[in-house]
Amino acid sequence: MVISSAAAGDPSHHHPGLITEDRTAPARNGNRIPESWRRLEGLAAELLAESGATLTVLRPPFVPTAGGRDPASRLLARAWAPVPAGFDPTLQLLSPEDLIGAVRRVLERGAGGLYNLAPAGGVPLRKALAIAGSRRLPLPGWAQAAGRRLSAAVRRTPQVDEVDFLRYPWTVSGAKLERELGFAPRRTSAEAALALRGALGRPPRPESERLAAAEYDPFGMDRDYIAAYGRTLFRFLHDHYWRIEIRGLEQVPRAGRGVLVGVHRGFMPWDGVMALHAMARRIGRYPRFLIHPTLVKFPFLANYMTKLGGIHACRENAERILGDEGLVAIFPEGIRGAFSLYRNAYRLKKFGRDEFVKIALRNRAPLIPFVTVGSAEIFPILAKFRWGWWQRHSEWPCFPITPTMGLVPLPSKWHTRYLEPIHVEERYGPEAADDREVVRGISRDVRARIRAAIDGMLERRRSVFFGSIFERRLA
């Protein structure tokens, strides 16, 4: 048996979260820690290849203990914990008792293979520190890098970059271990942090116990955070700055799964944020938008998008949300649509590989198209500048030239319309997702409906900044 680490999945903004054993997150940051763990696993496999022995590899996340030398133990034990400013990733923490229990179960079953070992959920870094009794000390990236170099020089040890594990998600799914060996950790990540507090001899506090008993979203969405912005910034932008008028919100199901299919313009995701605010405020639903990885690459923006419920755009994440009877929101044009020149802002781009249709079919969910006219005008892209350094650093296709250079959105008037759902789950079975003609036909239907809605709304619009486009009888 090899006790490896979930850190073998490279922490980065490209990490989709809750990865399974058959999916390894791509190594993009040049961090040596994940590579070292994978080398350890490979070495064990080589040594046992000719012996006929059964090899089992367990990949636990951080296992914080009093006096532990691992990053989590050192961090949570400090009175002031230095963390990257602008990031609050979801961590998985495993209690030592659950690690021992997993080892015992593997020995009892004599099973071989690779298994992730982690609690079902996680806990935000900020909450984990509060539970354990440590205070955050946010530091910019350059300060943390300088600290690592100084520590390596004093200790005469190689410089190890552990900061990425406190900046980006690297969570794993333990479903395989539970399914095949019947083992699941008893303590949550928050309870593991609370247990460490007791082991460190810190006095218990009601606030810590309350935080440890709370439920946390596995991807980091925070409804209290959404509500706080909903009472202030979002309300001002929605009701007074962009004066958004909405029709057809009754088309969004009040319960159950669904796939929202929209058109994204304005190059910053304010249209998705306003849709989230409207649905949360009016019907109590929180759609999970599939977002491009670059939106969680940079400090503060990463924290903002994660707490609003944005999740890495991949099929596995969409299916997890739909499996929990949630709403998934997809912009099928992808990043190309967001960076459309203003003169082409309301011309639809290709819908990629029609993955949104396949997701709806496989998970028997209705498709709900929705359209926003007016969001393209907040940052109208007048030109695109191809700048190699910027493209590599930001992973954007270009540097957009806008009237305010992306700093202040213009106060255009927005109009949002939700169209009648397309109940593909009533017409087809999940196997239709593998039928290319069926998928293309549904995609063309969705595209035609969105195109017709955009054309009709633009035809009725008389001003970019003023007026309603919906007739009274439609209200």
Side-chain angles (χ1 to χ4, degrees):
M1 184 185 301
V2 171
I3 307 298
S4 180
S5 173
D10 194 54
S12 78
H13 59 288
H14 286 273
H15 195 297
L18 296 180
I19 61 172
T20 55
E21 290 81 356
D22 57 354
R23 180 171 181 175
T24 300
R28 295 177 180 264
N29 286 358
N31 195 314
R32 292 178 296 170
I33 298 176
E35 181 184 354
S36 298
W37 285 112
R38 289 193 286 265
R39 276 207 309 267
L40 171 66
E41 296 172 2
L43 178 61
E46 291 177 8
L47 292 174
L48 295 178
E50 299 180 359
S51 67
T54 300
L55 173 64
T56 303
V57 177
L58 292 179
R59 285 182 173 176
F62 287 142
V63 184
T65 59
R69 302 290 298 170
D70 61 285
S73 298
R74 297 199 310 270
L75 184 76
L76 296 173
R78 290 174 177 172
W80 289 89
V83 297
F87 294 93
D88 189 22
T90 294
L91 297 181
Q92 288 174 319
L93 303 176
L94 186 72
S95 71
E97 293 79 7
D98 282 325
L99 176 59
I100 294 170
V103 171
R104 182 185 296 116
R105 180 59 56 89
V106 170
L107 294 175
E108 291 172 351
R109 297 289 181 90
L114 172 64
Y115 295 97
N116 292 332
L117 169 59
V123 60
L125 172 60
R126 181 192 295 262
K127 298 292 178 63
L129 291 171
I131 293 170
S134 180
R135 295 186 178 184
R136 294 173 65 250
L137 179 60
L139 297 175
W142 63 266
Q144 297 224 331
R148 290 196 306 273
R149 287 193 294 269
L150 178 61
S151 176
V154 171
R155 298 181 182 183
R156 297 182 180 180
T157 58
Q159 180 179 333
V160 178
D161 189 0
E162 298 171 345
V163 177
D164 283 345
F165 292 93
L166 304 177
R167 182 186 287 124
Y168 301 119
W170 51 289
T171 55
V172 297
S173 169
K176 179 183 176 183
L177 182 64
E178 183 176 7
R179 182 176 63 252
E180 295 186 2
L181 301 185
F183 181 85
R186 294 183 178 181
R187 284 183 172 173
T188 65
S189 296
E191 290 170 344
L194 185 64
L196 176 64
R197 182 189 185 105
L200 292 171
R202 292 172 175 169
R205 290 187 177 179
E207 179 64 13
S208 297
E209 295 177 357
R210 184 187 66 81
L211 291 175
E215 292 186 8
Y216 298 101
D217 182 85
F219 295 101
M221 185 180 76
D222 189 336
R223 295 194 180 190
D224 292 336
Y225 185 90
I226 296 172
Y229 271 103
R231 293 187 296 268
T232 53
L233 177 63
F234 295 166
R235 188 181 188 91
F236 166 74
L237 293 174
H238 189 281
D239 296 349
H240 304 290
Y241 195 72
W242 290 317
R243 295 146 290 139
I244 303 174
E245 61 171 354
I246 301 175
R247 295 295 183 271
L249 198 55
E250 68 277 1
Q251 307 291 359
V252 179
R254 272 27 178 197
R257 62 187 66 184
V259 177
L260 292 157
V261 185
V263 178
H264 172 39
R265 295 294 184 268
F267 101 76
M268 290 299 285
W270 281 112
D271 43 8
V273 173
M274 291 295 99
L276 165 66
H277 169 68
M279 279 186 263
R281 185 173 71 171
R282 298 191 182 188
I283 62 175
R285 299 223 65 181
Y286 295 79
R288 309 300 295 270
F289 282 82
L290 302 187
I291 62 175
H292 194 270
T294 56
L295 291 176
V296 293
K297 180 178 182 179
F298 301 103
F300 303 105
L301 181 60
N303 191 40
Y304 179 73
M305 296 307 302
T306 299
K307 291 189 182 306
L308 293 185
I311 55 177
H312 189 286
C314 68
R315 177 179 57 83
E316 294 84 354
N317 285 348
E319 291 183 346
R320 284 190 183 98
I321 300 302
L322 294 173
D324 291 334
E325 300 300 321
L327 293 175
V328 168
I330 301 175
F331 296 121
E333 294 172 292
I335 199 170
R336 295 187 305 273
F339 284 85
S340 297
L341 288 171
Y342 182 62
R343 64 173 179 264
N344 303 320
Y346 293 109
R347 295 180 184 176
L348 293 182
K349 301 289 190 296
K350 291 183 178 180
F351 276 10
R353 295 173 294 176
D354 298 327
E355 196 65 30
F356 72 100
V357 178
K358 298 175 185 178
I359 289 172
L361 289 170
R362 289 193 185 102
N363 295 276
R364 303 189 61 78
L367 290 162
I368 306 108
F370 72 104
V371 174
T372 295
V373 167
S375 62
E377 284 79 9
I378 67 171
F379 291 121
I381 300 177
L382 307 179
K384 300 179 183 180
F385 180 53
R386 306 288 179 180
W387 182 12
W389 176 86
W390 175 259
Q391 289 173 294
R392 291 190 300 272
H393 180 66
S394 68
E395 300 181 31
W396 287 6
C398 63
F399 184 87
I401 307 300
T402 72
T404 63
M405 297 306 294
L407 299 177
V408 180
L410 298 178
S412 57
K413 171 76 174 179
W414 289 25
H415 319 271
T416 299
R417 182 182 172 193
Y418 293 87
L419 308 181
E420 184 178 352
I422 304 173
H423 288 281
V424 294
E425 79 283 5
E426 296 177 356
R427 296 163 52 192
Y428 304 99
E431 67 281 356
D434 299 320
D435 190 321
R436 185 175 301 177
E437 292 304 316
V438 169
V439 171
R440 285 180 177 176
I442 295 172
S443 179
R444 285 194 295 267
D445 184 17
V446 173
R447 184 185 176 89
R449 295 187 188 204
I450 290 177
R451 176 73 270 170
I454 291 175
D455 290 344
M457 293 165 72
L458 289 175
E459 184 179 355
R460 294 194 296 272
R461 186 169 71 160
R462 296 293 176 263
S463 170
V464 171
F465 297 100
F466 305 103
S468 170
I469 67 173
F470 296 118
E471 299 175 4
R472 289 180 179 274
R473 62 182 179 86
L474 291 181

